[in-house]
Amino acid sequence: RAIFEKYFVEKLNTSLLSQNQAFKMFQVEAPILTPIEFINKNYTSDDVYQVDDLCLRPETTMGSYEYAKYLLSNHHTDLKIKPPIAIWQHGKSFRKEKDHPTKFMRLKEFYQLEFQIIFGLSTANDYYPKIAEDTKSFISNFIGDCKLEKSDRIPDYSEDTNDVICIKSEMEVCSISRRKDLEGFKVIEVAIGTDRCIYNF
């Protein structure tokens, strides 16, 4: 996982800079145990492990969003950060998945490598096509041939989602979404299941 993380972070950073030299990338490590108020409403008690007002995070997105809001606010004086930026983290997430054979890799505890690529609403460049194609290419270099497919399940927070599918296993290893749930900004999310990538590797 560490090898894949290092490889992919470097490759995606290069891809973003090739489109806009102003991109800056930041890593964050948000808490695994998260107040339920920060969890996307798409996740219900049937999906998450919850005790009182805390739960094990079902995704890393909300921690990245909170850090992005901090960086782009005036709450600090040491950094002057403006979009476009990319916030990433690699860590565990937890969901109440039904039991499946190991070959399907639908795990209750799993690693995600997620990038929230954030830019202004007035940005004319559509970064999505190149990010999606480059992501497929970078993952293919690591685990073998992959293809891009329109997702058959579009979350409420997404305008458009495409999945990266490993051809030899027909397993989804990544999803790439145009998110619409960060007020004042456009967001492209790249969410990679690193357990699945290592399994296919």
Side-chain angles (χ1 to χ4, degrees):
R1 272 192 299 263
I3 293 171
F4 182 81
E5 173 194 298
K6 183 175 186 295
Y7 165 81
F8 195 86
V9 170
E10 289 177 354
K11 288 291 188 182
L12 188 59
N13 188 43
T14 300
S15 173
L16 293 175
L17 290 173
S18 74
Q19 295 195 72
N20 187 339
Q21 285 290 313
F23 262 109
K24 291 182 174 61
M25 190 173 277
F26 301 90
Q27 181 183 8
V28 64
E29 291 187 27
I32 288 176
L33 198 58
T34 304
I36 195 71
E37 65 190 85
F38 290 102
I39 302 301
N40 191 290
K41 302 310 179 198
N42 280 277
Y43 297 105
T44 68
S45 58
D46 293 332
D47 303 313
V48 300
Y49 297 97
Q50 181 179 351
V51 177
D52 297 328
D53 60 346
L54 297 173
C55 77
L56 294 172
R57 65 186 182 194
E59 62 179 3
T60 62
T61 307
M62 293 305 107
S64 295
Y65 274 10
E66 289 304 308
Y67 188 51
K69 291 174 189 175
Y70 170 74
L71 287 175
L72 296 169
S73 73
N74 296 318
H75 294 155
H76 52 74
T77 56
D78 53 332
L79 298 171
K80 295 187 184 299
I81 305 299
K82 295 181 180 179
I85 61 174
I87 307 293
W88 69 274
Q89 60 179 312
H90 188 197
K92 287 183 179 181
S93 294
F94 305 81
R95 294 179 195 162
K96 289 181 178 177
E97 295 284 3
K98 295 178 181 177
D99 290 334
H100 292 277
T102 304
K103 66 179 180 178
F104 296 132
M105 293 295 286
R106 294 193 69 82
L107 307 175
K108 295 177 174 66
E109 176 181 349
F110 56 95
Y111 279 88
Q112 283 183 301
L113 175 58
E114 281 194 354
F115 298 80
Q116 306 302 328
I117 301 160
I118 300 165
F119 46 99
L121 294 174
S122 61
T123 302
N125 185 9
D126 183 7
Y127 297 113
Y128 190 91
K130 181 168 172 56
I131 289 171
E133 194 59 41
D134 284 355
T135 295
K136 182 200 76 171
S137 176
F138 301 151
I139 294 175
S140 294
N141 290 342
F142 196 84
I143 68 171
D145 290 341
C146 294
K147 59 185 177 182
L148 274 172
E149 283 187 358
K150 182 74 72 176
S151 181
D152 58 1
R153 44 187 175 73
I154 306 294
D156 291 347
Y157 57 72
S158 175
E159 295 177 349
D160 182 26
T161 298
N162 286 272
D163 297 328
V164 178
I165 309 293
C166 177
I167 292 175
K168 66 184 176 186
S169 66
E170 284 297 315
M171 185 183 292
E172 175 196 331
V173 294
C174 172
S175 64
I176 307 158
S177 300
R178 297 180 192 268
R179 294 188 72 122
K180 54 185 179 182
D181 55 348
L182 183 60
E183 187 177 353
F185 298 96
K186 293 180 180 179
V187 180
I188 297 172
E189 176 185 74
V190 178
I192 305 169
T194 47
D195 297 296
R196 293 184 179 190
C197 289
I198 300 305
Y199 177 86
N200 283 283
F201 176 78

